[in-house]
Amino acid sequence: MAEANTIVFDKTGTLTQAAPAVSAIRAYDGYDEVGVLRLSACLEEHFPHPVARAVVNKALERSGSGTA
């Protein structure tokens, strides 16, 4: 290790918490952010992927009711 000049990490979770989050929503062509988020959450709610969970979690956070 004393002579190493590069270290490579190859997967999510090594340096991160593996918990992606939605940071912004952009709606176009007459759609509003709430509608885009609601539709996206409905499409993603049955997938266990971390990005899908991030979309659903943002919708739940925005709704404040515990359901997207």
Side-chain angles (χ1 to χ4, degrees), residues 11-56:
K11 63 184 226 178
T12 301
T14 304
L15 293 176
T16 66
Q17 294 183 19
V22 174
S23 62
I25 302 164
R26 303 268 194 277
Y28 298 96
D29 293 332
Y31 293 96
D32 61 63
E33 289 183 5
V34 172
V36 169
L37 181 57
R38 183 176 290 136
L39 178 60
S40 299
C42 287
L43 294 171
E44 298 289 4
E45 68 182 332
H46 300 288
F47 293 98
H49 191 276
V51 174
R53 296 296 337 141
V55 171
V56 172

